[in-house]
Amino acid sequence: MSAVFPNGNPFSTGSADMDHVVFAGCLLLAAGLIFYGICLLLFALSRKNYGKAAEGIVADLVKTTKREYERAYERFDPVIEYSMNGNTYRVKLPLKAEPGVYHIGERLPLRVSEKRPSRVYIVGDDRRFVRAYSMIGIGLLFLAIALSNYFKGKS
């Protein structure tokens, strides 16, 4: 295995100076991704008890088409209608949901900002958590690569 990888380390470049650059780069990338993931997680957790509880109805679904590599993907932004303090609001949420996630007439539990009623969070929409955990996981992977590079170089 040492014939394929310098010093038996798959993350080593063979040069001590370059190994330090790889270590520092991976360490900085890991720290940034973990910090970003923790910020996303804290933001998602803050939405759990955001504003006042309300119930909304999916009034419409706005279709958007995204082209990527010669393929077209259909996504839908739900238009939510809800009442708060005697006023009725219609808000288009830029969720880019896959077909079938939301249906017209579907009732949804909401959390609505009291100061800005156009700010709405759908209770149970946990996509922010998935993104946060993904960033933290990728950051931990880069941290493992950096530490592997550091400790394998010491032996």
Side-chain angles (χ1 to χ4, degrees):
M1 183 152 174
S2 62
V4 177
F5 301 116
N7 303 326
N9 182 356
F11 304 111
S12 177
T13 61
S15 163
D17 291 337
M18 203 57 195
D19 282 350
H20 291 313
V21 170
V22 169
F23 169 71
C26 285
L27 195 61
L28 287 173
L29 185 60
L33 286 170
I34 291 170
F35 179 74
Y36 180 63
I38 289 171
C39 289
L40 284 175
L41 185 61
L42 291 174
F43 178 76
L45 288 171
S46 74
R47 294 293 183 218
K48 286 271 186 200
N49 297 316
Y50 181 73
K52 285 177 75 172
E55 185 177 74
I57 297 174
V58 179
D60 194 11
L61 293 170
V62 178
K63 181 175 150 182
T64 58
T65 304
K66 178 181 177 185
R67 293 200 162 276
E68 205 173 274
Y69 303 111
E70 305 292 326
R71 294 183 65 191
Y73 297 94
E74 288 184 349
R75 297 291 186 255
F76 294 91
D77 295 334
V79 177
I80 309 293
E81 189 172 289
Y82 58 95
S83 296
M84 188 171 154
N85 299 331
N87 297 321
T88 300
Y89 298 93
R90 282 177 70 100
V91 177
K92 176 184 158 197
L93 299 177
L95 297 179
K96 306 286 185 259
E98 293 183 8
V101 173
Y102 297 105
H103 305 284
I104 294 177
E106 180 181 1
R107 294 188 179 283
L108 300 171
L110 305 174
R111 302 295 292 187
V112 182
S113 171
E114 294 181 64
K115 294 178 184 175
R116 296 177 67 185
S118 61
R119 289 198 174 177
V120 178
Y121 170 72
I122 298 174
V123 175
D125 181 22
D126 292 333
R127 288 179 294 162
R128 287 187 177 106
F129 287 107
V130 172
R131 192 176 303 141
Y133 291 135
S134 298
M135 290 297 121
I136 292 171
I138 293 169
L140 290 174
L141 175 70
F142 277 101
L143 182 63
I145 291 171
L147 292 176
S148 167
N149 188 32
Y150 179 76
F151 288 115
K152 290 270 182 160
K154 294 286 185 188
S155 56

